[in-house]
């Protein structure tokens, strides 16, 4: 028996309407043996930064050859390109709007195409508003079924891909300045500062009027008080033990975060 | 290897409680090879119109022979019938309360049965409140596994099926009057007016005090302003570019909508 | 073809973030043929009683040999044990914090191990905050793939498992006093009183100022009025026909409930 191929879906469609189910139907019509895994469909609508981080922090945990289809697509129906990218370990499919910037900062692109071949769409007569169903999910199902990248459309130059700007972190001997790149539903505040920069050191997060000690687990701090730790995604994160750090600390997406390191 | 069979599930059970998971368990006990796809479980509780539209706008995207199980069932435990219907391309299973009216206006019924044969229930001792687990999901799993319709229960006459009333659209040369049949979680307002009635024409939606131009994509109008278009489901829809049309236009389920066509 | 193995997942992670998708990725890397069914991921955060009831009321509906992975884990990163239990019909995996107490009151334990063998973790370098991804889901995938219990870690004595206290019901000839053990998203109030104690009898629930008649189906009472019945899980439950009993009756988790029986 051949190993089932894995696809993931990520969108801001929500699960109240049947849009996600319909994408899965379109996949099953092409190849009912594909296993489809939802990353999430409840991203803040059209929040490309949130989509970027979810993809970045998830893709490495899937089997070799997984096809990730991401549809957060404010420009659907405009002239933005629909693309497929081949990495060493995975395929990425979605609109060319910077969704994949996070992953692409870490992985080389082996091949890149624009999805111009209508033979691999659901129908040549595509909807102007639902490319997830008519272009992205079908292209993904064909890739997962062994169709070669080059069949899906014309090659594009990787350097023409749209980039999503995110402030870089800035490292000095005794401090690192970074940015909040994601806030999860628990209110945990996730920076873009890699945890290995503080590995084995004594460190804390400095906010205007407080100092949040760096530690190892949520349970290390008293219930209700803030703690900084390296999250499961590998970045420095600020949490409140059994509480909501976003609400308690009044910080929002994109906020600047300062980490101090004992020399 | 045999092609996996596909079932879909639609309900108003939500996903907070394990009710949907338990239905999938009941299916897996009968046939663990069936692939189950969720259409949605977050329909407004007992909103049969919402269920009717979700089924209508989804079923055509699934593989031949898919078994659609729909459980929005205010009359569970009463004398309403539990039914299975065979269409040319699919099977429908659920309570006989009009859920399938939308699909049945488009498809002939090849066979119709009441699910009276306890051999294909989960147990002869069925719960009075959870026919999804005890009757509908098991009957669907048996159908997906090749059990013939006639085995599931006694034949019923299609003309005895309960209908769910929905105002028809009314067409004149220069205008079409229709009804809002669905509102999605983005607040997009979906009428029952088929988009092909305005195909290639110049048209707009006339509301009390405004005129909403018919166009092709969400991005065609300025951010925050209303637009009318033919949605991915094929019906005329009113949206607000990066906004919520329901809130902005103060329209609700069942509202009357007037489309004007340039002659 | 071998029968696909079934795993279930239950957590309080929500589905807004990709945590659940990542657990499924970790499972697929070990065995892409496993079918994963979500019980729920929207439990009230860290509500062990809710998790306990969801597992108790679900496990019996799954195929023989299903592996249930449950991750409601306020003590992640502390010294609480990670465990796997073998029952006659299923495997249970999760933190040793009482999650499984409900099931274990009904089923014998055939084997119990602590998940101490890093060979069956995702990586020996486990996150301090996401054992669902790094320990529980991988251990479950290995069990579902035929790895013997004894391989997963050192045997533990069942009597050392952490218990989650829940007030027992108390039965007298004409009354039974019990406790609300779960409230579902419809606001249905689920007691811990087994329905077979009132089977064939005339009974009602006595609240401070009202008497709620025991009956068979939601539809037996007028719309908007309270009814008591034996729910699909087998326990006595208080509901409001097309309404929300929790809001209407102002009762909360753990409340004491009195059932009166006509002699």
């Amino acid at each position: 028996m051949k190993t089932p191929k894995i696809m993931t879906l990520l969108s801001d469609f929500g699960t109240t309407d049947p849009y996600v189910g319909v994408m899965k139907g379109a996949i099953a019509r092409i190849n009912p043996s594909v296993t489809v895994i939802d990353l999430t469909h409840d991203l803040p609508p059209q929040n490309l930064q949130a989509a970027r981080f979810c993809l970045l922090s998830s893709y490495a945990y899937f089997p070799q050859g997984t096809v990730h289809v991401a549809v957060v697509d404010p420009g659907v129906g405009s002239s933005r390109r629909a693309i497929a990218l081949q990495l060493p370990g995975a395929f990425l499919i979605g609109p060319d709007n910077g969704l994949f910037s996070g992953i692409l900062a870490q992985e080389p692109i082996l091949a890149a195409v624009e999805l111009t071949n209508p033979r691999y769409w659901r129908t040549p007569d595509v909807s102007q508003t639902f490319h997830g169903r008519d272009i992205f999910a079908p292209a993904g199902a064909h890739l997962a079924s062994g169709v070669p990248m080059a069949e899906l459309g014309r090659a594009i130059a990787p350097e023409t891909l749209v980039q999503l700007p995110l402030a870089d972190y800035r490292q000095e001997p005794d401090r690192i300045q970074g940015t909040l790149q994601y806030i999860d539903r628990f209110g945990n505040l996730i920076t873009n500062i890699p945890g290995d920069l503080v590995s084995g050191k004594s460190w804390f997060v400095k906010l205007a009027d407080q100092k949040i000690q760096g530690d190892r687990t949520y349970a290390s701090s008293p219930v209700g008080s803030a703690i900084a730790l390296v999250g499961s995604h590998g970045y420095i994160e600020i949490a409140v033990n059994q509480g909501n750090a976003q609400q308690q600390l009044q910080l929002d997406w994109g906020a600047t975060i300062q980490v101090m390191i004992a020399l």
Side-chain angles (χ1 to χ4, degrees), chain A residues 143-198:
Chain A
L143 261 188
S145 307
V147 170
M149 282 283 286
E151 277 288 299
L152 297 180
R154 67 168 160 256
I156 55 178
E159 58 274 19
T160 66
L161 294 175
V162 172
Q163 297 295 321
L164 194 65
L166 178 78
D168 244 356
Y169 62 87
R170 218 176 52 212
Q171 192 175 9
E172 295 172 46
D174 67 335
R175 69 190 63 200
I176 312 163
Q177 184 173 299
T179 301
L180 284 191
Q181 65 173 329
Y182 190 72
I183 302 177
D184 74 13
R185 79 142 191 160
F186 298 103
N188 295 325
L189 303 164
I190 298 165
T191 74
N192 64 344
I193 304 174
D196 44 22
L197 300 186
V198 296

Side-chain angles (χ1 to χ4, degrees), chain A residues 180 187-189 191 198 201-218 220-222 224-230 236-241 244-246 248-251 256-262:
Chain A
L180 284 191
N188 295 325
L189 303 164
T191 74
V198 296
K201 296 178 180 159
S202 172
W203 59 283
F204 62 92
V205 170
K206 187 173 158 234
L207 290 183
D209 54 345
Q210 63 182 303
K211 183 175 143 169
I212 301 170
Q213 192 55 46
D215 210 317
R216 295 196 66 207
T217 77
Y218 296 129
S220 312
S221 73
S225 76
I227 185 172
L229 72 170
V230 178
I236 289 180
E237 166 183 335
I238 307 168
V240 166
N241 187 9
N244 185 305
Q246 180 183 25
Q248 191 160 319
L249 303 174
Q250 295 284 318
L251 289 171
T256 297
I257 299 294
Q258 193 106 264
V259 168
M260 309 301 293
I261 300 174

Side-chain angles (χ1 to χ4, degrees), chain A residues 11-241:
Chain A
S11 78
D12 59 356
F13 296 163
T15 51
T16 301
D17 305 302
Y19 301 123
V20 171
V22 162
M23 284 203 293
K24 293 177 183 172
I27 292 167
R29 279 180 79 144
I30 291 164
N31 185 344
S33 302
V34 170
T35 296
V36 181
I37 295 176
D38 297 306
L39 284 186
T40 175
H41 299 288
D42 291 314
L43 290 171
Q46 312 194 334
N47 184 331
L48 296 175
Q49 291 290 0
R52 178 198 147 284
F53 178 75
C54 285
L55 288 163
L56 167 63
S57 60
S58 301
Y59 82 103
Y61 299 101
F62 285 83
Q64 176 76 18
T66 295
V67 179
H68 300 282
V69 174
V71 196
V72 178
D73 196 8
V76 64
S78 73
S79 62
R80 67 96 188 90
R81 298 185 293 192
I83 57 172
L85 306 176
Q86 183 174 1
L87 311 181
F91 298 92
L92 307 177
I93 293 186
D96 179 22
N97 61 15
L99 280 184
F100 304 122
S101 306
I103 297 177
L104 297 182
Q106 306 189 339
E107 300 278 348
I109 296 176
L110 305 188
V113 298
E114 187 178 354
L115 302 172
T116 48
N117 187 348
R119 190 174 151 197
Y120 299 104
W121 301 347
R122 191 183 63 81
T123 160
D125 180 27
V126 301
S127 157
Q128 293 299 309
T129 56
F130 196 4
H131 288 187
R133 177 192 71 193
D134 290 348
I135 296 181
F136 299 123
H142 285 296
L143 261 188
S145 307
V147 170
M149 282 283 286
E151 277 288 299
L152 297 180
R154 67 168 160 256
I156 55 178
E159 58 274 19
T160 66
L161 294 175
V162 172
Q163 297 295 321
L164 194 65
L166 178 78
D168 244 356
Y169 62 87
R170 218 176 52 212
Q171 192 175 9
E172 295 172 46
D174 67 335
R175 69 190 63 200
I176 312 163
Q177 184 173 299
T179 301
L180 284 191
Q181 65 173 329
Y182 190 72
I183 302 177
D184 74 13
R185 79 142 191 160
F186 298 103
N188 295 325
L189 303 164
I190 298 165
T191 74
N192 64 344
I193 304 174
D196 44 22
L197 300 186
V198 296
S199 166
K201 296 178 180 159
S202 172
W203 59 283
F204 62 92
V205 170
K206 187 173 158 234
L207 290 183
D209 54 345
Q210 63 182 303
K211 183 175 143 169
I212 301 170
Q213 192 55 46
D215 210 317
R216 295 196 66 207
T217 77
Y218 296 129
S220 312
S221 73
V223 169
S225 76
I227 185 172
L229 72 170
V230 178
S232 59
H233 31 68
Y235 296 98
I236 289 180
E237 166 183 335
I238 307 168
V240 166
N241 187 9

